[in-house]
Amino acid sequence: MRRYPLVALLILLGPAATLARAQRLPYLHAPAVNAYALHNPTGVTVLPDGRLLKPEGVHYPVARWPNGLTMSRDGSTLFVASDGVGQLVTGWQGDHPEITQIYPGDSTAKTRGSSTGAAVFSPDGGTLYWSTGNSGALMVFDVAKRERIGEISLNTQVGGRTFADSFAMDVKISEDGAWIYCADVTNFRLAVIDTARRSVVGSVRVGRYPYALALIGSRVYVANVGMFEYSAIPSPTDSRFDPHGLTYPPFAFPSSEAKEGVRFEGRNIAGLGDPNAPDAFSVWAVDASNPARPTVIHRVKTGLKVGVVSSGVETVGGSAPNYLLPAAGALYVCNNNNDSVDAIAPGTGTLQKRTHIVPSPLTSRLRGVSPSGMAASPDGRRLYVAESGLNAIAVIDTASGTVLGHIPTAWYPYRLAMSPDGRKLACIAFRGFGNGPNAGKAVPASPFLGMKGALSILSVPTDARLATMTRTVLECSGLVDRSKDRVALGSPIVPTVPGIPSGPIKYVVFITKENHTYDAIFDHIAGANDDPSLLRWGYHQSISAPGQPSLHDVAVMTNHNALARQFTVSDNFYMEPEASGVGHRWLVGVQPNNFCQMTYTLGWDFKLHSDAPGRRAAFGSNGSIAPEDYPEAGSMWEHLARHGITFRNYGEGFEFAGVLEDGSEGVTGAREVINMPMSKALYDNTCRTYPIFNMNIPDVFRADWFANDFRKLFLQSKSATAGRGSNAINGLIKPRPSFLRERTRREHTPKAMPHFVNIAICNDHGTAPNPAKGYPYLASWMADNDLALGRIVAFLSHTPYWKNMAIFVTQDDAGGEPDHIDAQRSVLMVISPWAKRHNVSHRHTTILSMHRTLYEILGLPPLNLQDAIASDLSDCFTTTPNFTPYNAVPVDPRIFDPEKTKDLSDPEFRKARLAPSVRRDDPDEVERNAAGGR
């Protein structure tokens, strides 16, 4: 008897079987189906990701990016630490807390990178020690006077070695207040400070990127959140190669080259060793009974090791232990990537219990809760865990390890504190109540606008109340079965059952760009929710720049507006991220973990030749995913690869820490200066001549690069057919889905288009005008990007693949531009013969809606909790196709003339092209572009 896989049986049995299968499977979507984002801290907030906020407690605005919460021992005072400002909170257990700000500097001027969340009170609560972060010191404050009275530098000599470039990521103080212990994340060490002498007296090397500390007696426990130690790329021994760095990463991960090293571009590149080494993703115990000679006594691996199989998927990323808490005779460890909490025996380091936080059986195999800070009840019977990815606090019974329920919070809860009597919980939420609108006539009078942090104070719930709260969390997060909505919200073009392939669409293209809101680009599109007064790059703009003639009634982004009118544009699409450093994680389907989020917003400066090895992992605003922030199941690339989906990538994936992006770099637009690896799945499927982010390279060049490569590889044959993918990318790829195997047998020809293509064009990021380079106005960068987009879409729509293609166009973040709905509302266009023509979609969607739709079209299951609950883009499609191709619209040559970017014989032009590119989302640059001229 012949056996058919389930999907094949469903196809053979017809629509009735498919419908029955659909009725048995849960159907999830974000609760805000057609509602627009709404900033409403006193009611129900609709977040950019389509979830709702109904947080418990009373909420107080604090500074942006709160990342530390510490409590005095008597419980009377809280300290909330943010970048460049702190808040002392007294009377917090009563009805009228008092919040006082203190600053790292001598004035109230906030300085980026001047402080972190690492802070601790002296035992009597009279003194506060607070990390300066980047400058490598602890500030000393008199709490009563709210005055800074001293500083203790970690950059000093200890044990015969001089340390520099320190960065205290966490601090703890001994019971008697005599010693302070510092997790120096950049020097991979635990430093011990004598509080009487205010100097470092001891130091010991621990694991990679020590992130969190806990103290039990004279033992200090250190959570190491990183995977590898990186080294500088050496100079080439062959003069044919560029001495500044590598044009492409030297190896893929996982691979033997990444482990052992390789000869690459005239250099011997050092390997990175074992990703499961004791230094990586581990908790170390240090005996500090002799503060001058602290000694490591044992090392424990927490969570899942890299390479093991979990829920049927090979683990790609490490456990990322990010918080430690002693309670109930155990040491509790948050494994940020695994959605788990380990209970470890403090004396031996053996695992006592592991709790997997699974908020709903509907998503039992998916990760995305992202446990962060913890607090415990005074009797140790209850553990409270901040769930950054769920906007909730998990309540765990420590005896059984059972999750009892969830408490709703504001956006991205990160740290918790429990009152000594066990009656009150304090929680800081990193994103508060979101951005809200940043322009227009209806900006609410809210103290939380602009993504201010939130301090929430709530009563510890009873069990009965906790049950009600849990239902609220599940409903607000989209974790309830909405099967009744399947027909109304679905589409025959986008199947809603994993494993069921779509009929007409076989090829999906993502085109990703930089830094725009809806209101800034789209000009009076009929039926759209817009504010024309905020338009910056539409059809009838006034343009000016120093030394240039002022232009009026000028069209800037002509192709964006033409495509939006011809196909489908969304006026209810949002960015999850706030900027590029995290935005490019979301673009590849990854919710940034704590290491990524905190390093980007609050981290240390990159220093290539520093003796502090952690300085070489500081990526700043660079957007490519590193081993330290690989999720458990990996990114979009691993998800496609393990299911046998062919893909090709142009311009994403190797903008690593310290990368050089100068005008002389030609091929790839980059020079890699450290030995950071690239994901194996991506490494093998990326065009190595297409440039990454580098604004010295015109986007119209990128469009030509793409078209030439595509012609060479995929237009050798006249028929649009499915591609043949490798079945063995380092063991990650499983057999191809049955529908793709059958499709390949029927339709395969060599050099066929992959099922997925990713293209990055980035010059709409914008920077200062540069007439010598062909960019006389800020608007010139937008016009370059616009023309490139038009040419790429026109090219693809004239290939034989067009009849089976869908193109999604978006940004990586909103870039601070004005928008009357929300500062994170941005760009989505759906371009396809199967897309509705002249259509505005009002469905509330996000970047991860694109991923969900991609997976649904190709018959894949969700990758993680976030894309599983994102609403898809099925409302953008029709069953009646229109195969008319798109023809690119020219841009105004007074703003941007592509021919002027090609005159390499002009000495002034060549000089300008040798200048460094602006850094992606440099805060000052983004602020100038958002507020400046055009």
Side-chain angles (χ1 to χ4, degrees):
M1 178 179 176
R2 186 171 184 179
R3 297 185 182 274
Y4 292 94
L6 175 59
V7 172
L9 280 173
L10 290 170
I11 294 172
L12 289 171
L13 293 174
T18 301
L19 180 60
R21 161 79 166 164
Q23 290 172 341
R24 290 195 302 270
L25 289 176
Y27 180 65
L28 306 178
H29 62 75
V33 176
N34 292 314
Y36 292 86
L38 178 65
H39 181 88
N40 186 15
T42 60
V44 178
T45 289
V46 180
L47 289 176
D49 61 12
R51 304 190 204 184
L52 308 180
L53 290 183
K54 298 179 182 178
E56 285 293 317
V58 181
H59 317 291
Y60 303 92
V62 292
R64 204 174 195 217
W65 310 143
N67 63 105
L69 176 64
T70 191
M71 184 176 66
S72 62
R73 287 194 184 171
D74 65 2
S76 64
T77 306
L78 298 174
F79 179 66
V80 180
S82 301
D83 184 22
V85 63
Q87 293 88 18
L88 286 163
V89 186
T90 56
W92 69 278
Q93 297 174 56
D95 295 332
H96 303 288
E98 181 179 323
I99 300 177
T100 307
Q101 291 189 331
I102 60 175
Y103 296 87
D106 295 328
S107 69
T108 58
K110 291 184 284 186
T111 305
R112 182 177 172 83
S114 61
S115 61
T116 75
V120 68
F121 287 99
S122 61
D124 64 4
T127 305
L128 176 74
Y129 302 92
W130 181 20
S131 170
T132 64
N134 212 33
S135 65
L138 294 188
M139 298 171 283
V140 185
F141 281 86
D142 183 307
V143 174
K145 295 180 179 179
R146 285 15 182 196
E147 291 181 359
R148 178 172 169 171
I149 58 175
E151 183 173 287
I152 307 169
S153 179
L154 299 180
N155 295 324
T156 185
Q157 189 177 71
V158 58
R161 178 182 167 185
T162 299
F163 289 90
D165 296 327
S166 298
F167 190 108
M169 182 60 77
D170 196 12
V171 294
K172 291 290 184 284
I173 195 166
S174 63
E175 185 70 23
D176 60 7
W179 315 104
I180 295 175
Y181 309 98
C182 302
D184 184 352
V185 68
T186 49
N187 275 297
F188 294 2
R189 65 167 175 153
L190 176 71
V192 184
I193 291 172
D194 183 327
T195 58
R197 295 163 52 188
R198 291 188 181 175
S199 64
V200 179
V201 296
S203 180
V204 63
R205 173 88 177 218
V206 290
R208 294 165 183 160
Y209 312 95
Y211 192 84
L213 301 177
L215 187 61
I216 303 178
S218 61
R219 285 192 179 181
V220 185
Y221 296 85
V222 184
N224 304 297
V225 78
M227 185 183 290
F228 290 128
E229 176 180 342
Y230 303 105
S231 58
I233 297 296
S235 298
T237 57
D238 187 330
S239 60
R240 293 176 300 170
F241 295 99
D242 190 334
H244 298 100
L246 308 177
T247 64
Y248 198 69
F251 33 57
F253 173 76
S255 69
S256 59
E257 293 83 1
K259 187 173 184 178
E260 300 166 8
V262 70
R263 180 78 177 173
F264 188 82
E265 293 190 354
R267 301 161 168 88
N268 292 321
I269 309 298
L272 297 167
D274 184 357
N276 291 314
D279 300 62
F281 302 123
S282 56
V283 174
W284 289 26
V286 177
D287 181 356
S289 56
N290 181 352
R293 294 184 179 275
T295 305
V296 175
I297 54 176
H298 63 244
R299 305 167 178 84
V300 181
K301 299 290 290 184
T302 68
L304 299 177
K305 292 184 177 181
V306 175
V308 304
V309 175
S310 172
S311 301
V313 175
E314 187 172 351
T315 299
V316 176
S319 59
N322 67 348
Y323 198 81
L324 304 174
L325 182 70
L331 177 68
Y332 288 90
V333 184
C334 272
N335 297 308
N336 193 225
N337 285 349
N338 297 154
D339 287 359
S340 67
V341 176
D342 286 354
I344 295 173
T348 62
T350 56
L351 178 67
Q352 294 179 326
K353 196 181 280 91
R354 175 169 293 160
T355 299
H356 290 283
I357 303 178
V358 180
S360 168
L362 302 176
T363 56
S364 58
R365 70 172 187 82
L366 303 177
R367 303 291 177 257
V369 168
S370 298
S372 301
M374 295 183 286
S377 60
D379 60 9
R381 296 175 61 185
R382 296 278 171 98
L383 189 68
Y384 299 85
V385 184
E387 301 169 291
S388 296
L390 195 64
N391 306 329
I393 298 169
V395 182
I396 297 175
D397 179 277
T398 56
S400 64
T402 303
V403 178
L404 302 176
H406 307 269
I407 303 170
T409 68
W411 195 6
Y412 202 97
Y414 183 60
R415 292 289 186 254
L416 304 175
M418 171 72 71
S419 64
D421 63 7
R423 299 176 62 184
K424 292 286 186 177
L425 262 176
C427 171
I428 55 169
F430 194 71
R431 293 193 175 97
F433 291 85
N435 258 311
N438 60 353
K441 297 179 180 179
V443 177
S446 165
F448 294 95
L449 277 177
M451 207 174 278
K452 291 286 182 63
L455 168 66
S456 299
I457 299 172
L458 57 139
S459 298
V460 172
T462 63
D463 289 351
R465 180 79 179 118
L466 181 61
T468 301
M469 292 178 179
T470 300
R471 287 193 293 273
T472 298
V473 168
L474 298 181
E475 290 170 358
C476 288
S477 299
L479 289 172
V480 292
D481 189 358
R482 306 284 190 184
S483 293
K484 61 182 177 58
D485 298 339
R486 189 188 302 271
V487 174
L489 298 181
S491 162
I493 305 300
V494 181
T496 59
V497 182
I500 304 298
S502 69
I505 300 176
K506 303 176 184 178
Y507 313 105
V508 179
V509 179
F510 284 6
I511 302 177
T512 59
K513 308 174 329 79
E514 291 278 334
N515 297 18
H516 290 296
T517 60
Y518 181 95
D519 275 340
I521 289 181
F522 294 113
D523 194 336
H524 292 83
I525 294 177
N529 187 344
D530 62 2
D531 184 339
S533 70
L534 305 180
L535 190 64
R536 302 184 73 195
W537 316 116
Y539 282 132
H540 305 284
Q541 305 297 143
S542 294
I543 305 297
S544 63
Q548 300 296 321
S550 294
L551 306 176
H552 301 284
D553 199 27
V554 174
V556 181
M557 299 186 91
T558 55
N559 284 280
H560 284 72
N561 279 282
L563 287 164
R565 283 164 170 76
Q566 291 187 37
F567 297 95
T568 286
V569 65
S570 172
D571 70 350
N572 202 7
F573 176 87
Y574 304 85
M575 301 285 111
E576 281 93 347
E578 61 275 3
S580 288
V582 286
H584 281 256
R585 271 73 176 175
W586 289 104
L587 281 176
V588 299
V590 169
Q591 174 186 244
N593 63 11
N594 283 177
F595 176 88
C596 173
Q597 182 71 64
M598 299 305 157
T599 302
Y600 171 62
T601 49
L602 306 157
W604 53 94
D605 291 343
F606 177 85
K607 294 186 179 181
L608 180 61
H609 298 294
S610 174
D611 289 334
R615 290 278 175 177
R616 284 182 286 279
F619 58 86
S621 58
N622 293 335
S624 294
I625 188 169
E628 279 62 42
D629 53 318
Y630 288 177
E632 180 183 308
S635 69
M636 166 177 69
W637 313 119
E638 286 77 26
H639 196 51
L640 294 172
R642 70 170 59 96
H643 287 92
I645 302 298
T646 55
F647 66 90
R648 187 161 176 81
N649 167 56
Y650 296 88
E652 190 70 54
F654 55 96
E655 192 188 35
F656 291 138
V659 67
L660 301 176
E661 296 167 338
D662 297 337
S664 58
E665 285 161 1
V667 174
T668 77
R671 291 297 179 269
E672 304 294 342
V673 297
I674 62 169
N675 61 340
M676 185 171 282
M678 193 172 171
S679 155
K680 173 68 173 173
L682 185 59
Y683 191 89
D684 293 340
N685 292 282
T686 292
C687 176
R688 299 194 184 190
T689 60
Y690 185 94
I692 64 168
F693 180 92
N694 185 328
M695 293 190 63
N696 289 287
I697 300 171
D699 275 344
V700 288
F701 283 18
R702 288 183 173 86
D704 290 343
W705 246 302
F706 165 72
N708 290 335
D709 185 78
F710 193 97
R711 286 190 194 96
K712 179 178 66 176
L713 293 180
F714 310 126
L715 291 179
Q716 303 298 315
S717 160
K718 292 294 184 183
S719 62
T721 57
R724 174 182 295 166
S726 165
N727 273 334
I729 296 183
N730 200 52
L732 288 178
I733 290 186
K734 304 300 184 287
R736 292 165 62 81
S738 58
F739 83 94
L740 288 178
R741 290 200 302 270
E742 291 298 323
R743 187 185 295 171
T744 299
R745 293 191 192 102
R746 294 193 306 269
E747 303 176 326
H748 174 72
T749 58
K751 300 289 186 183
M753 179 181 176
H755 293 289
F756 176 68
V757 173
N758 187 75
I759 309 167
I761 50 177
C762 56
N763 282 0
D764 61 332
H765 178 285
T767 187
N770 193 328
K773 293 172 66 172
Y775 299 87
Y777 305 91
L778 175 58
S780 303
W781 301 99
M782 314 308 158
D784 173 24
N785 177 266
D786 178 82
L787 184 57
L789 173 65
R791 288 180 175 181
I792 290 171
V793 172
F795 169 78
L796 288 171
S797 71
H798 285 83
T799 69
Y801 302 102
W802 171 242
K803 65 182 181 181
N804 301 113
M805 184 183 297
I807 302 170
F808 301 147
V809 179
T810 192
Q811 311 288 137
D812 73 320
D813 68 88
E817 284 193 324
D819 196 274
H820 82 287
I821 295 292
D822 193 275
Q824 288 174 253
R825 189 170 69 142
S826 192
V827 173
L828 172 71
M829 291 184 284
V830 177
I831 302 164
S832 171
W834 301 92
K836 294 176 182 176
R837 295 278 177 151
H838 318 293
N839 177 58
V840 178
S841 168
H842 304 300
R843 179 174 295 182
H844 192 127
T845 52
T846 73
I847 289 176
L848 288 182
S849 299
M850 294 168 47
H851 291 88
R852 174 169 178 165
T853 309
L854 167 69
Y855 302 151
E856 288 175 340
I857 286 173
L858 297 179
L860 307 188
L863 169 61
N864 53 48
L865 183 66
Q866 313 307 323
D867 65 67
I869 60 181
S871 295
D872 68 18
L873 307 176
S874 56
D875 72 309
C876 299
F877 293 93
T878 176
T879 55
T880 305
N882 181 336
F883 296 111
T884 305
Y886 178 73
N887 293 309
V889 179
V891 297
D892 191 321
R894 296 173 297 172
I895 303 176
F896 178 72
D897 183 351
E899 295 305 314
K900 291 183 179 179
T901 67
K902 298 181 181 181
D903 188 5
L904 299 180
S905 63
D906 183 340
E908 288 301 314
F909 179 83
R910 292 181 63 192
K911 180 179 178 181
R913 282 187 56 79
L914 292 175
S917 171
V918 63
R919 288 195 306 118
R920 192 200 301 262
D921 278 15
D922 173 270
D924 295 333
E925 191 75 23
V926 169
E927 187 175 343
R928 281 194 297 269
N929 292 346
R934 301 177 188 181

